[in-house]
Amino acid sequence: MHEVFVHSTYLVTSLGFGIRENMDKLYHEQSGSTLIHDQKYSPEAFFGSKIEHLRFATEFENQFPSLSIEYTLFEKLLLFVIQKSIQNISFPLNTKDTLLIISSTKGNIDLLAKSERDKWEKERIFLWKSAEYIQKFFKLENKVAIISNACISGVEAISVGARFIRSGKFKNVIVAGADILSEFVVSGFQSFQSLSLEQCKPFDSGRSGLNLGEAAAVLILSSSENKSFAKVLGSASSNDANHISGPSRSGDGLFLAIQSALMESEITANQLDFISAHGTATDYNDEMESKALSLANLESVPVNSLKGYWGHTLGAAGLVESIVSIEAMKENKLIRTLGYENHGVSKNISVVASTKTHRIDTFLKTASGFGGTNAAIIFQKHNQHD
Amino acid sequence: MTKIVKHIFFSQDKLFVDFQKQFSFESNLNFGATFKSLYKALKLDYPKYFKMDSLSKLGFLAAEILLQDSKLRAMHRPEKIGIVIENSSSTILMDTKHQETLNNKEAYFPSPANFVYTLPNILTGEICIRHKIQGENVMFISSKFDAEMIATYVEKLFDDKKITACLAGYIEINEENYEAFLLLIENSFKDPINEKQLIDIYSKYKNRTNAWKN
């Protein structure tokens, strides 16, 4: 069985472009979320996290000065992050050995709006159509795989990519994810009354809902060990089989995924040094997660949520949070759960309340989403001996 | 090692189980009415069905037929049953409906009951609730049925001992048509399932429904 190594990563979030900018802002505990008054997204103001669009347009233009095809914002974000990440890779990617996986919940959903509908071909609304354009752009040999599994999409895309490498089917997998802010998604979460009107507060007693965000990110997996700084040990997904729009009350679904990921990794709960949770700051999600972590005997392991920095970035969330946590593992840092002050979940989990140095060799990333779906993945530091 | 225990195909008003025609519906019905007739024919009593969008209804009905008289729950632990589904148009019908509630700023009424069905994996969630499936679950998007993806991924899940049984297939609905192709796969001493097997079964169904049409 092949081992799975993590290679180049790149991300664009409301905090900035690339790993360094994002890490610097995270260490300085800066949030990219603000109150957004923009009719484009919603008749009412909401608290959310937007990529700096003007800067993105400029940087995109610099990266790709003469394009013959017009791309949507969602596609541009994917093109940009993929291009940035493959620049650092020494092995060729346009071969039969490489697969691109795209993770997104809603892709080009903004094209459904009246103002956009006539500008693009009808099929452009579909994720597979965006994927075809991206495949063509990078001259990739294989058809792109697409995962759209609600809020676990990002974690699951890494998990599926790792399995394809382990099985020997592919040597390299580029895992790319993106979701953008749109009226479609903002209005939907508003109708659920799950958007907070202030900075979100994961695991806090005063939490009042989530902040939506937009982001794009890439993580390259390979069976090649050379220059890798982390590896994927194991992963799993599970389903609550309980309710489509509310998480399980007991946390048993997420617990099953954690247990299965630990088993595959051949480690026990006490070998985890840190947990990057989903922590959306809705009442039910955070409570469910605390129960799942408790069931898995993980109450004493430091756990954070990064949603206070860039909101919930949906299909990109699992990727951006994994990428940043891998970097923090490399630097042996625990990043504070921004927004958390007073413990507000029933189990005594160890929420990281201040950013500090902490030895991290192995960590767990989890995600949960609509449809009762959960995912867990375990990463380990990889020290090169050469 | 795995084997295909059973498969169903439902499209163009015809429903087949293991290549045998089980139901056919009047071709002048819209698909909503066809699904309703099937629900009645199956003598189901599951009030949640009526809240579902058409993608979930299609997947739900396909799973009902596939798992009729099945010993799935007696033979496998919930966390060892997986569900691996592909679809092309995601939730385009419900997406359009949700978008319509936003177009008129004077009558802006997005509904949570619609919005939740704008995620394609809600269909897998509905099947998991109905049949108590708690294992690996994934929704792939593909322009058409991709046998290679299903065969490779499902076989890997069995290989890794993540699952001992799996529902896998292609559930698609859009403005023009619907298609449900669903297989029940279980571990056994036989050879692993492969892409060619899936393509053969699928093409046989496609040829048959096309022949019916003409």
Side-chain angles (χ1 to χ4, degrees), chain A residues 106 143 156 163 169 373, chain B residues 118 137 142 148 153 162:
Chain A
K106 297 309 298 174
K143 193 186 132 187
E156 189 155 54
R163 285 188 185 134
K169 174 93 181 161
T373 188
Chain B
T118 63
N137 55 105
S142 169
E148 187 185 4
Y153 190 63
K162 289 282 185 190

Side-chain angles (χ1 to χ4, degrees), chain A residues 105-288:
Chain A
T105 64
K106 297 309 298 174
N108 277 332
I109 196 66
D110 54 327
L111 307 191
L112 262 194
K114 258 188 195 160
S115 54
E116 292 293 317
R117 214 173 300 168
D118 301 331
K119 293 187 200 161
W120 306 88
E121 76 260 42
K122 204 172 171 234
E123 289 180 332
R124 204 60 175 263
I125 193 73
F126 300 123
L127 278 165
W128 55 264
K129 194 72 196 174
S130 294
E132 280 182 3
Y133 277 104
I134 291 162
Q135 180 186 347
K136 213 175 278 173
F137 184 88
F138 290 108
K139 301 188 173 65
L140 298 171
E141 289 249 339
N142 294 303
K143 193 186 132 187
V144 177
I146 305 160
I147 291 178
S148 190
N149 216 54
C151 305
I152 76 157
S153 300
V155 173
E156 189 155 54
I158 306 172
S159 165
V160 170
R163 285 188 185 134
F164 279 138
I165 289 175
R166 234 176 261 129
S167 72
K169 174 93 181 161
F170 298 102
K171 283 186 180 151
N172 316 303
V173 178
I174 307 166
V175 188
D179 262 311
I180 57 168
L181 279 179
S182 63
E183 181 184 38
F184 186 99
V185 171
V186 172
S187 66
F189 277 94
Q190 277 171 338
S191 75
F192 260 101
Q193 301 189 317
S194 49
L195 293 190
S196 174
L197 293 172
E198 51 179 7
Q199 178 74 46
C200 73
K201 298 171 176 169
F203 304 110
D204 189 84
S205 56
R207 66 185 183 277
S208 53
L210 59 84
N211 299 150
L212 277 176
E214 57 186 357
V218 173
L219 179 152
I220 298 180
L221 299 173
S222 173
S223 56
S224 148
E225 184 177 1
N226 188 30
K227 288 185 187 162
S228 165
F229 41 87
K231 55 185 180 178
V232 179
L233 292 188
S235 59
S237 67
S238 67
N239 198 286
D240 294 340
N242 175 51
H243 198 280
I244 51 163
S245 59
S248 133
R249 291 292 170 102
S250 64
D252 66 321
L254 177 58
F255 167 61
L256 288 172
I258 296 172
Q259 208 181 25
S260 171
L262 283 167
M263 204 176 289
E264 186 179 12
S265 304
E266 296 179 337
I267 63 166
T268 51
N270 59 13
Q271 285 170 274
L272 291 173
D273 303 309
F274 158 66
I275 301 157
S276 167
H278 192 47
T280 58
T282 63
D283 271 349
Y284 291 127
N285 174 77
D286 293 10
E287 177 60 18
M288 178 280 287

Side-chain angles (χ1 to χ4, degrees), chain B residues 136-154:
Chain B
E136 291 285 337
N137 55 105
V138 63
M139 176 58 80
F140 290 112
I141 306 284
S142 169
S143 58
K144 55 183 195 292
F145 171 60
D146 182 343
E148 187 185 4
M149 176 62 86
I150 296 254
T152 315
Y153 190 63
V154 169

Side-chain angles (χ1 to χ4, degrees), chain B residues 56 94 173 194:
Chain B
S56 291
M94 190 51 97
I173 188 160
N194 61 52

Side-chain angles (χ1 to χ4, degrees), chain A residues 13-16 22 25-26 29-37 46-52 181 195-202 209-215 279-281 305-313 321 338-339:
Chain A
T13 71
S14 62
L15 285 185
N22 275 276
K25 297 222 172 119
L26 289 164
E29 303 181 4
Q30 288 176 26
S31 171
S33 299
T34 51
L35 197 61
I36 301 175
H37 299 266
F46 67 102
F47 214 88
S49 234
K50 246 175 85 175
I51 288 167
E52 220 182 303
L181 279 179
L195 293 190
S196 174
L197 293 172
E198 51 179 7
Q199 178 74 46
C200 73
K201 298 171 176 169
L210 59 84
N211 299 150
L212 277 176
E214 57 186 357
T280 58
S305 157
L306 297 168
K307 299 290 192 292
Y309 297 93
W310 45 50
H312 187 355
T313 58
E321 291 160 17
L338 199 63

Side-chain angles (χ1 to χ4, degrees), chain A residues 331-350:
Chain A
E331 296 164 10
N332 290 307
K333 288 270 193 202
L334 283 178
I335 300 169
R336 175 188 163 192
T337 304
L338 199 63
Y340 172 80
E341 271 166 26
N342 302 304
H343 197 76
V345 287
S346 66
K347 298 294 173 185
N348 198 20
I349 55 169
S350 310

Side-chain angles (χ1 to χ4, degrees), chain B residues 67-159:
Chain B
L67 299 178
Q68 249 181 353
D69 314 315
S70 147
K71 295 195 176 68
L72 186 74
R73 282 168 78 169
M75 306 278 287
H76 303 273
R77 295 164 61 92
E79 69 272 24
K80 290 288 183 188
I81 309 171
I83 179 161
V84 177
I85 306 291
E86 286 175 347
N87 143 295
S88 301
S89 308
S90 184
T91 51
I92 189 64
L93 299 181
M94 190 51 97
D95 289 355
T96 309
K97 203 166 163 183
H98 177 68
Q99 184 67 43
E100 280 164 6
T101 67
L102 312 176
N103 288 345
N104 183 350
K105 296 289 171 260
E106 274 71 54
Y108 195 85
F109 58 95
S111 128
N114 287 346
F115 184 65
V116 70
Y117 285 102
T118 63
L119 290 165
N121 66 302
I122 298 299
L123 112 80
T124 51
E126 293 283 15
I127 295 173
C128 288
I129 293 170
R130 170 69 168 170
H131 301 284
K132 191 72 184 166
I133 294 171
Q134 293 202 272
E136 291 285 337
N137 55 105
V138 63
M139 176 58 80
F140 290 112
I141 306 284
S142 169
S143 58
K144 55 183 195 292
F145 171 60
D146 182 343
E148 187 185 4
M149 176 62 86
I150 296 254
T152 315
Y153 190 63
V154 169
E155 202 47 47
K156 179 68 183 147
L157 291 176
F158 277 104
D159 248 15

